[in-house]
């Protein structure tokens, strides 16, 4: 240190003047580099819902992928099922390779979670993270797309100088969520925690998710329609509910534009975006399923037919009613219209061919309908193929026999 001081004192006055003139141009750049070299966090806003009960509700997280990730990796990151992520983002069909599908960085993904009441506020505490050697609270926060800050991670897990992050240790990741009784403007809704991105405004977010600025202000308690990057707001997503569908001992809320699997993955129920109605159909997945056909009908769950009369158009549907003890429940629903709706499929004049079907213990008809294909065993396929080849063979034999008989008649 003394050597540096002696060296500086030996400089002539002209050298000091020249150095001062140079620093006035270089100093701003040095200052910027110094500021960028420090880690800092910008204080952001987050919508918090107070609560005093132990119930939970279905909720969503908006997750902007920080890097390329497989669906299975995202599922592990948030401690949810890969199939639930696929369903929330309306990715279908589900196959053995679906979980290995790679989603690219900056892809917007909806993560389904259950929102609980913890210490008087709504949040999800089910996500547990295993610390890696190079992890910091800030890097972990980045991996969760800004849904949680580094400071929140430190506070919840008591991370400090005497209790640092340890390689192989586990910490809880507190994730934001809201329920608001799953209601918005009198309709069923699921709330999604959304991280505001750069150059976004409340107006652009409202347009992106089909809502209004006034609705977002009311939900989030904003007095002014201003948001900053990193803010976490609650977005109401219109949803379909089974509450009014007379299901047996089953309750389901499905956000608009997504689906869910039920009845041991035999039934796929989706929320139609146009009219927010629940539609349940056979999933078509490779799982054993029974009772997919309504009793005494040629209709399977989710299908419909039409009966015309002189004064009305009757639309008859086979609808899902829940499941009990491994048995899928269904019933027929009859709706009358003065004029048939445009979306009705005109299949056949009658929907009730009682005489064609007999009762069976599974509620399925033993005779299949050509317009409603059901799984067919390999044995039945072989039998059908054999019968198909036998008929032309017999006809050829008969023709040869008649021809020979005709020849013998003239010869004799």
């Amino acid at each position: 240190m003394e050597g540096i001081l002696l060296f500086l004192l030996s400089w002539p006055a002209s050298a000091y003047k020249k150095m001062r003139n140079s620093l006035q141009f270089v100093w701003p750049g040095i200052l910027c580099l110094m500021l960028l070299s420090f880690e800092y966090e910008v204080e952001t806003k987050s919508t918090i819902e107070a609560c005093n009960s132990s119930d939970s509700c279905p909720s969503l997280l908006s997750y902007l992928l920080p890097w390329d990730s497989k669906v299975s990796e995202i599922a592990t990151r948030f401690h949810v099922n890969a199939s639930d992520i696929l369903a929330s983002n309306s990715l279908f069909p589900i196959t053995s390779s679906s979980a290995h599908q790679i989603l690219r960085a900056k892809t917007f993904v909806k993560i389904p979670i259950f929102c609980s009441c913890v210490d008087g506020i709504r949040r999800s505490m089910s996500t547990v993270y295993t610390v890696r050697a190079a992890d910091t609270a800030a890097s972990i926060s980045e991996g969760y797309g800004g849904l949680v800050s580094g400071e929140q991670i430190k506070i919840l897990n008591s991370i400090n100088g005497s209790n640092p992050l340890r390689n192989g240790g586990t910490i809880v990741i507190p994730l934001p969520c809201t329920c608001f009784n799953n209601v918005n403007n009198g309709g069923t809704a699921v709330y999604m925690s959304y991280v505001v991105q750069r150059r976004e405004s409340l107006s652009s977010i409202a347009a992106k998710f089909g809502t209004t600025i006034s609705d977002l202000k009311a939900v989030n308690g904003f007095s002014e329609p201003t948001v900053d990057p990193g803010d976490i707001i609650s977005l109401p997503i219109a949803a379909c509910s089974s509450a009014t569908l007379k299901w047996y001992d089953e309750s389901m809320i499905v956000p608009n534009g997504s689906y869910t699997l039920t009845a041991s993955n035999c039934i796929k129920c989706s929320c139609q975006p146009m009219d927010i109605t629940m539609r349940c159909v056979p999933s078509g997945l490779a799982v054993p399923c029974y009772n997919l056909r309504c009793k005494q009908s040629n209709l399977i769950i989710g299908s419909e037919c039409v009966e015309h009369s002189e004064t009305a158009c009757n639309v008859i549907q086979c609808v899902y009613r829940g499941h009990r003890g491994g048995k899928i429940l269904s019933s027929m629903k009859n709706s009358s219209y003065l004029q048939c709706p445009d979306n009705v499929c005109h299949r056949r004049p009658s929907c009730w061919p009682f005489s064609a079907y007999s009762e069976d213990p599974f509620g399925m008809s033993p005779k299949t309908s050509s317009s409603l294909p059901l799984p067919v065993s390999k044995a039945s396929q072989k039998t059908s193929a054999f019968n198909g080849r036998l008929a032309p063979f017999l006809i050829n034999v008969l023709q040869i026999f008649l021809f020979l008989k005709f020849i013998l008649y003239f010869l004799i």
Side-chain angles (χ1 to χ4, degrees):
M1 186 69 180
E2 291 179 0
I4 295 174
L5 289 173
L6 290 173
F7 175 73
L8 291 174
L9 289 172
S10 66
W11 278 14
S14 59
Y16 281 110
K17 185 177 181 180
K18 187 179 290 185
M19 184 176 68
R20 184 184 63 185
N21 292 336
S22 300
L23 283 174
Q24 67 180 347
F25 298 104
V26 177
W27 177 248
I30 295 174
L31 183 61
C32 288
L33 288 173
M34 291 174 64
L35 290 173
L36 290 172
S37 65
F38 291 100
E39 282 191 6
Y40 67 94
E41 291 184 357
V42 178
E43 185 176 351
T44 58
K45 303 187 294 290
S46 181
T47 300
I48 296 176
E49 178 189 2
C51 58
N52 56 11
S53 62
S54 59
D55 64 334
S56 61
C57 74
S59 184
L60 292 170
L61 300 172
S62 72
Y63 183 46
L64 193 66
L65 290 183
W67 47 72
D68 293 357
S69 301
K70 293 181 180 179
V71 173
S72 58
E73 292 173 339
I74 301 171
T76 301
R77 200 171 300 160
F78 286 91
H79 278 225
V80 298
N81 294 325
S83 59
D84 292 336
I85 293 178
L86 295 170
S88 294
N89 293 275
S90 199
L91 299 175
F92 196 82
I94 298 175
T95 64
S96 57
S97 61
S98 296
H100 303 294
Q101 180 179 348
I102 297 176
L103 303 181
R104 299 303 175 188
K106 304 302 180 183
T107 299
F108 172 73
V109 182
K110 289 181 283 187
I111 308 294
I113 60 170
F114 277 96
C115 187
S116 304
C117 184
V118 182
D119 297 330
I121 63 172
R122 291 285 183 188
R123 55 181 172 173
S124 172
M125 303 287 281
S126 60
T127 299
V128 178
Y129 179 81
T130 301
V131 179
R132 299 175 181 177
D135 279 339
T136 65
S139 68
I140 296 172
S141 169
E142 180 186 2
Y144 285 92
L147 286 164
V148 59
S149 68
E151 191 62 27
Q152 289 172 327
I153 293 173
K154 289 179 180 180
I155 293 173
L156 182 67
N157 295 278
S158 302
I159 304 299
N160 49 46
S162 59
N163 182 37
L165 291 170
R166 300 183 187 279
N167 184 28
T170 58
I171 57 174
V172 175
I173 306 298
L175 296 171
C177 62
T178 52
C179 291
F180 297 122
N181 297 319
N182 286 124
V183 174
N184 181 52
N185 295 327
T188 303
V190 170
Y191 287 85
M192 180 171 66
S193 296
Y194 183 80
V195 182
V196 179
Q197 305 298 315
R198 291 181 180 179
R199 295 184 293 275
E200 281 191 325
S201 64
L202 211 60
S203 175
S204 66
I205 295 171
K208 181 178 180 180
F209 291 96
T211 184
T212 63
I213 296 176
S214 58
D215 196 12
L216 293 182
K217 286 175 61 179
V219 168
N220 293 278
F222 293 159
S223 56
E224 297 294 333
T226 56
V227 289
D228 298 309
D231 287 351
I232 301 176
I233 63 175
S234 288
L235 295 178
I237 307 295
C240 298
S241 174
S242 62
T244 60
L245 299 180
K246 300 179 181 179
W247 285 9
Y248 174 83
D249 195 27
E250 184 178 6
S251 179
M252 183 186 299
I253 296 177
V254 182
N256 174 25
S258 63
Y259 68 86
T260 190
L261 297 174
T262 185
S264 301
N265 292 340
C266 287
I267 299 296
K268 173 191 173 189
C269 293
S270 57
C271 186
Q272 303 298 307
M274 296 300 295
D275 52 3
I276 315 297
T277 56
M278 186 93 77
R279 176 172 171 78
C280 297
V281 298
S283 66
L285 300 179
V287 291
C289 302
Y290 305 96
N291 314 96
L292 295 179
R293 191 185 299 278
C294 278
K295 290 184 178 181
Q296 295 184 322
S297 169
N298 65 330
L299 300 178
I300 60 173
I301 292 173
S303 61
E304 60 188 15
C305 60
V306 178
E307 282 190 337
H308 297 278
S309 67
E310 295 181 358
T311 58
C313 170
N314 296 324
V315 179
I316 302 172
Q317 300 169 302
C318 177
V319 295
Y320 175 70
R321 294 299 188 192
H323 59 97
R324 177 181 57 192
K327 183 177 181 179
I328 298 173
L329 306 178
S330 61
S331 68
M332 302 299 291
K333 179 183 176 182
N334 195 338
S335 304
S336 296
Y337 304 90
L338 293 177
Q339 185 176 358
C340 285
D342 294 335
N343 63 337
V344 167
C345 178
H346 299 259
R347 291 185 175 175
R348 56 182 66 222
S350 176
C351 299
W352 304 90
F354 291 124
S355 59
Y357 305 103
S358 59
E359 294 290 339
D360 63 44
F362 299 109
M364 297 180 65
S365 64
K367 182 178 179 181
T368 59
S369 168
S370 58
S371 62
L372 300 169
L374 292 175
V376 181
S377 66
K378 292 183 179 179
S380 63
Q381 290 176 345
K382 291 180 180 178
T383 302
S384 299
F386 177 76
N387 291 337
R389 292 192 296 268
L390 182 61
F393 174 76
L394 292 175
I395 292 174
N396 290 334
V397 170
L398 181 60
Q399 289 177 341
I400 293 172
F401 174 78
L402 292 175
F403 177 76
L404 291 174
K405 184 177 181 180
F406 177 78
I407 295 298
L408 290 173
Y409 176 81
F410 282 100
L411 291 176
I412 296 172

